Amino acid sequence: MVSVALILLFVLSCIVLRLISVIRRTRTRFSDARPTPPKTCSLAVFLGSGGHTSEALVLLSALDFSRYSPRKYIYSQGDILSAKKAVNLESLKAPECTSHPSVPQVHSTDATTPYTLVSIPRARRVHQSLFTTPVTAARSLITCLYHVTIAPLLSGHPFADVLVVNGPGTCCMLCLAVYVNRFFGFHSPKMIYVESFARVKTLSLSGKLLRPFVDRFVVQWPELLNDGGRGECRGWLI
Amino acid sequence: MYAFVTVGSTRFDGLVQRALSDAVLDVLRAKGYSKIVVQCGNSEFDTKSYEWTGETWVRRGEEHIEVWRFKPSLQEEYEQADLVISHAGSGTIIDVLRLRKPLIVIPNSTLLDNHQEELASTLAQLRHLKASTISELPKAIESLEPSGFVPFPVFDGSRFREMLDEEMGFA
């Protein structure tokens, strides 16, 4: 009995130490500075519907799509509006590539498909009670783990180089899946969290949860950093 | 003139019902708004006085008042409107203010920790829009001074672009 307890304690300590080391490395921004700049970066963005989708797409519209390619738009199951808005943005920014994905869910991307659309179950619906959220969140997490951890391992194509999220509950599941990759030393995207423009005086629940764990925590109103916690404010990004 | 009411992608029964009430329709009429359209999203309202045309609800006897749920893009409505009344969602606010249209927002207090209230009151203080409540809406329309609004700043994409380029090693 004692030896079992000791072994469990040992395993638990390893897990905790590994987590601490992963979190520390995430917060030391220059720990993996590249000697030469990359040519392109694959980008994934979570479109959380409503204002989250609008803001995320405004942010993306500012980017050079030839640099950030291929792109993956992740949206909540059933939220066709967000998927349509993503397609709209792509047509607006239509670069030299004019090919469109023929199937909404594609598990690998290559140079001929500049963007793909991926749907995942919502972790929490609007107005859903926080009590029932753990169940829906678990379902969402499993799908995120599939796309972020398992499918890339099986196909050899990484999920993305950078993941941009801006607040809705489901993005926490995505970030959690990214952390699983980091924990095991698999390829993981940089996580950029941009708090919504709507958050002036208080952070969202997702913001509070993810603040210690993401690579960049960006707010759009300076008051949000008055608590001295980590993060940066560059003014209005939208 | 055209008044457009929108509740975004979710549900805001209170605003839709108030916007279609006599109190609001009367004051809009008095102010010269001859066309009133309500985008009601998933909200519920009393359809008794409305005729369903297959695409929209049109008020019986007043064809210039119509209600519909969703359109893929509201851009055209914003462009044509002389006044927009909406929930205080950031997406709607940004879209409308970038078109320099007069905007009255009503925060939807049923959302998680009433987060629409912060943005509405801050932007109202900065005089980019007028913030009001469901009960005060007729007064807000009555006392609206479109020329008193401060224009919303133009989109500056360089901030996000530079931050991301920096992070990803392009800078």
Side-chain angles (χ1 to χ4, degrees):
Chain A
M1 275 306 288
V2 175
S3 44
V4 172
L6 279 174
I7 291 169
L8 276 173
L9 195 60
F10 175 70
V11 171
L12 203 63
S13 314
C14 287
I15 291 174
V16 170
L17 285 171
R18 175 64 182 159
L19 267 174
I20 292 172
S21 124
V22 166
I23 294 170
R24 277 233 180 95
R25 282 178 56 197
T26 302
R27 294 162 77 126
T28 330
R29 284 222 304 269
F30 305 100
S31 62
D32 51 356
R34 296 172 198 243
T36 50
K39 289 210 188 69
T40 60
C41 265
S42 58
L43 176 140
V45 60
F46 178 64
L47 303 179
S49 85
H52 293 286
T53 294
S54 306
E55 284 198 44
L57 293 175
V58 168
L59 294 179
L60 248 68
S61 72
L63 300 176
D64 180 351
F65 272 21
S66 59
R67 231 175 219 190
Y68 293 96
S69 185
R71 295 166 296 285
K72 200 173 281 193
Y73 296 91
I74 307 165
Y75 64 100
S76 305
Q77 247 164 36
D79 181 15
I80 309 299
L81 204 53
S82 289
K84 279 192 183 149
K85 286 183 178 171
V87 173
N88 269 358
L89 176 68
E90 286 286 334
S91 346
L92 273 171
K93 296 270 282 184
E96 315 66 52
C97 308
T98 51
S99 55
H100 289 281
S102 49
V103 184
Q105 281 169 356
V106 178
H107 303 304
S108 67
T109 58
D110 54 42
T112 60
T113 342
Y115 74 97
T116 52
L117 304 168
V118 174
S119 85
I120 58 179
R122 257 184 230 266
R124 179 185 164 267
R125 287 182 319 276
V126 182
H127 299 303
Q128 182 180 341
S129 142
L130 287 174
F131 280 120
T132 59
T133 299
V135 177
T136 45
R139 218 175 99 230
S140 181
L141 179 59
I142 290 169
T143 313
C144 291
L145 283 169
Y146 172 74
H147 288 290
V148 175
T149 313
I150 299 169
L153 271 179
L154 296 176
S155 68
H157 294 284
F159 169 71
D161 294 316
V162 60
L163 169 66
V164 177
V165 294
N166 72 347
T170 311
C171 75
C172 294
M173 299 301 110
L174 268 173
C175 291
L176 193 48
V178 170
Y179 249 78
V180 168
N181 284 27
R182 290 205 182 166
F183 184 85
F184 289 108
F186 303 147
H187 179 279
S188 69
K190 298 254 188 173
M191 289 180 289
I192 315 285
Y193 183 94
V194 181
E195 186 66 284
S196 165
F197 175 67
R199 292 298 180 154
V200 183
K201 299 190 165 69
T202 58
L203 292 174
S204 64
L205 182 56
S206 306
K208 289 179 192 155
L209 290 172
L210 293 175
R211 191 179 192 183
F213 302 111
V214 294
D215 295 281
R216 288 252 187 171
F217 187 79
V218 188
V219 300
Q220 301 190 57
W221 296 87
E223 231 179 290
L224 295 169
L225 299 178
N226 281 355
D227 62 357
R230 87 185 273 256
E232 60 189 286
C233 177
R234 296 193 179 208
W236 297 355
L237 301 177
I238 46 77
Chain B
M1 289 201 293
Y2 170 25
F4 179 63
V5 182
T6 171
V7 301
S9 55
T10 59
R11 179 180 177 160
F12 195 179
D13 294 356
L15 176 54
V16 170
Q17 287 161 14
R18 187 60 159 159
L20 295 172
S21 68
D22 288 334
V24 167
L25 293 177
D26 286 346
V27 74
L28 282 173
R29 215 174 283 123
K31 289 291 244 178
Y33 294 97
S34 53
K35 180 178 170 195
I36 296 155
V37 172
V38 177
Q39 176 265 323
C40 66
N42 291 320
S43 318
E44 293 304 322
F45 67 100
D46 185 359
T47 53
K48 261 200 332 279
S49 331
Y50 294 82
E51 192 82 54
W52 174 247
T53 69
E55 276 180 11
T56 90
W57 281 282
V58 177
R59 195 166 171 105
R60 290 204 184 91
E62 300 185 79
E63 284 79 37
H64 58 282
I65 298 173
E66 66 178 61
V67 186
W68 35 265
R69 292 205 179 277
F70 293 105
K71 261 189 191 168
S73 165
L74 299 179
Q75 198 63 13
E76 209 179 298
E77 310 305 322
Y78 299 149
E79 280 167 7
Q80 291 173 0
D82 297 289
L83 166 66
V84 178
I85 298 168
S86 97
H87 73 145
S90 66
T92 307
I93 289 175
I94 295 162
D95 287 343
V96 174
L97 291 184
R98 286 255 148 85
L99 288 171
R100 304 283 161 101
K101 296 289 174 155
L103 177 61
I104 299 174
V105 297
I106 316 287
N108 185 349
S109 51
T110 65
L111 297 175
L112 189 60
D113 52 56
N114 191 14
H115 69 265
Q116 289 195 350
E117 182 63 55
E118 293 177 7
L119 185 63
S121 54
T122 306
L123 291 180
Q125 262 164 32
L126 294 171
R127 290 175 39 232
H128 291 304
L129 49 72
K130 189 168 198 146
S132 185
T133 61
I134 289 173
S135 54
E136 298 288 301
L137 182 54
K139 272 208 202 99
I141 298 167
E142 173 63 50
S143 60
L144 188 71
E145 274 298 319
S147 53
F149 288 131
V150 172
F152 198 68
V154 174
F155 175 50
D156 179 6
S158 67
R159 295 173 183 174
F160 179 67
R161 185 174 55 239
E162 279 163 20
M163 189 267 299
L164 195 62
D165 283 351
E166 205 179 281
E167 181 68 23
M168 302 312 294
F170 286 113

